[in-house]
């Protein structure tokens, strides 16, 4: 029951956010990157899995994972018919995004579950003139050994 006399009782509407995972020739990393996208705690969330016409199994893995996903987020799967390069690939993903805010990730990024929620909170608290938010990243080698934070 909602107490209409207490403002804090009203459910707070949060905007749809788009999480765009962009990949090209990253089959050895893409599974963990998609798992990170699917694990996001923020809601409502649209996850865009976009492949830039990879010649390897990157898109196949994305498609298999999207087909088996049964979580709370909406998933959009897309593959470019020709390799467009990074800038055009980003532009295409942004054009597909329906969210008020876009979180971008590469096919070799492993996102922590709170990534989107933390970025949204920072953006929401930054004021109306902020157009982008960046976060630190912990770099790892191919064996998962941490190389430092940038």
């Amino acid at each position: 029951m909602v107490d209409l006399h207490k403002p804090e009782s009203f459910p707070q509407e949060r905007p749809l956010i788009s999480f765009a995972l962009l990949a090209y020739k990253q089959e050895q990393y893409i599974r963990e990157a998609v798992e990170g996208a699917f694990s996001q705690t923020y809601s409502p969330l649209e996850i865009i899995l976009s492949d830039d016409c990879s010649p390897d199994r990157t898109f196949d893995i994305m498609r298999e994972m999207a087909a088996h996903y049964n979580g709370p987020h909406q998933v959009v799967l897309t593959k470019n018919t020709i390799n467009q390069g990074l800038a055009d690939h980003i532009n295409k993903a942004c054009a597909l995004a329906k969210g008020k805010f876009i979180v971008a990730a590469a096919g070799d990024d492993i996102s922590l579950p709170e990534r989107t929620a933390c970025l949204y909170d920072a953006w929401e608290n930054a004021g109306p003139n902020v157009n982008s938010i960046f976060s630190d990243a912990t770099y790892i080698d191919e064996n998962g050994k941490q190389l430092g934070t940038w």
Side-chain angles (χ1 to χ4, degrees):
M1 173 182 274
V2 174
D3 183 351
L4 300 178
H5 300 288
K6 291 185 177 181
E8 65 270 13
S9 296
F10 289 101
Q12 195 167 20
E13 294 284 327
R14 295 193 330 170
L16 174 69
I17 290 181
S18 298
F19 187 104
L21 179 60
L22 306 168
Y24 178 67
K25 293 195 325 187
Q26 292 165 313
E27 73 177 300
Q28 74 183 81
Y29 306 108
I30 196 65
R31 187 169 304 281
E32 287 178 286
V34 173
E35 287 170 354
F38 287 170
S39 76
Q40 295 304 295
T41 59
Y42 181 91
S43 185
L45 186 68
E46 163 191 62
I47 299 171
I48 300 169
L49 303 177
S50 183
D51 179 67
D52 197 14
C53 198
S54 295
D56 61 7
R57 288 194 18 82
T58 299
F59 182 74
D60 295 333
I61 294 167
M62 294 168 101
R63 182 178 49 219
E64 291 165 10
M65 293 182 75
H68 291 99
Y69 177 71
N70 61 359
H73 308 306
Q74 175 189 358
V75 177
V76 176
L77 180 67
T78 184
K79 179 180 181 179
N80 296 333
T81 55
I82 59 169
N83 180 264
Q84 296 185 356
L86 184 58
D88 286 341
H89 192 192
I90 290 169
N91 289 338
K92 180 181 177 188
C94 288
L96 289 172
K98 295 181 181 120
K100 184 175 181 181
F101 183 76
I102 300 170
V103 175
D108 59 354
D109 292 349
I110 302 169
S111 296
L112 297 175
E114 299 81 20
R115 180 179 183 201
T116 301
C118 288
L119 288 170
Y120 171 73
D121 288 342
W123 177 63
E124 183 71 14
N125 293 318
N129 296 324
V130 173
N131 294 316
S132 63
I133 300 286
F134 298 90
S135 60
D136 289 337
T138 301
Y139 287 82
I140 60 174
D141 66 15
E142 62 276 357
N143 299 313
K145 180 184 174 195
Q146 291 189 5
L147 302 175
T149 302
W150 285 273

